Amino acid sequence: TSQSIYFPNVEGIDFKDGVLYFVSKKKLMLYALDLDNNTYTTSPTNGGLLGSGEFKNSPDQLIRNEGDFLYFTEDGGKTPGVYAVDSSGQRFAIFEAYGKQYFGDETTGLAFSPDGTKMYACFQDCGCEVSGEGDCGCMLEFERLDGRSFDGETLNL
């Protein structure tokens, strides 16, 4: 099928204002399909530095809160985390994990509280042990201390 040729290993999908967004893990690419105008744009997701962070591996989940930021997670690499792109194309590293136990991990389960002031994410493996089982995963909660939404003003990271 054409999907497997042109968009292999698609993950994450989001839609806003007539534009469908998705990522290809194999091609390391973010696609934005303008469904109203039958056009599209692409943006590589493995360009190295992203905002003040590092993104060199596979994009994964996509999610948009209520604002202009498109958030995505990273699968693998030395710094799995959450990253964002705003409506102007500016990129931000929201958080990254640097410890050895996170090397090759995957950030998953990205979600926001209803008021947008809290962000939740998980590491699938995070190197912890529970009841003798390795790679149990962990959930993280982030909160904006200024009380604003994650889709409010730029986080200035």
Side-chain angles (χ1 to χ4, degrees), residues 117-137:
T117 61
K118 293 183 181 181
M119 178 176 65
Y120 306 93
C122 300
F123 288 117
Q124 275 189 342
D125 300 320
C126 76
C128 62
E129 289 189 28
V130 175
S131 302
E133 297 290 327
D135 299 335
C136 65

Side-chain angles (χ1 to χ4, degrees), residues 46-137:
N46 66 332
L49 290 182
L50 187 63
S52 59
E54 178 181 331
F55 187 100
K56 293 184 177 179
N57 286 283
S58 298
D60 205 350
Q61 182 183 3
L62 288 179
I63 189 169
R64 184 183 303 279
N65 203 2
E66 296 297 321
D68 289 331
F69 290 91
L70 180 64
Y71 293 89
F72 55 101
T73 62
E74 183 177 24
D75 181 358
K78 292 184 178 182
T79 58
V82 171
Y83 303 85
V85 179
D86 70 11
S87 57
S88 73
Q90 188 172 1
R91 298 169 179 225
F92 303 91
I94 305 303
F95 76 86
E96 299 173 305
Y98 284 99
K100 285 185 180 182
Q101 70 267 31
Y102 299 105
F103 287 8
D105 208 337
E106 180 175 357
T107 314
T108 64
L110 183 60
F112 295 91
S113 64
D115 66 1
T117 61
K118 293 183 181 181
M119 178 176 65
Y120 306 93
C122 300
F123 288 117
Q124 275 189 342
D125 300 320
C126 76
C128 62
E129 289 189 28
V130 175
S131 302
E133 297 290 327
D135 299 335
C136 65

Side-chain angles (χ1 to χ4, degrees), residues 24-65:
S24 169
K25 291 177 82 165
K26 187 169 186 174
K27 290 194 172 192
L28 304 173
M29 192 71 63
L30 169 66
Y31 295 88
L33 308 179
D34 185 331
L35 301 178
D36 295 330
N37 296 308
N38 292 324
T39 60
Y40 72 95
T41 58
T42 60
S43 176
T45 60
N46 66 332
L49 290 182
L50 187 63
S52 59
E54 178 181 331
F55 187 100
K56 293 184 177 179
N57 286 283
S58 298
D60 205 350
Q61 182 183 3
L62 288 179
I63 189 169
R64 184 183 303 279
N65 203 2

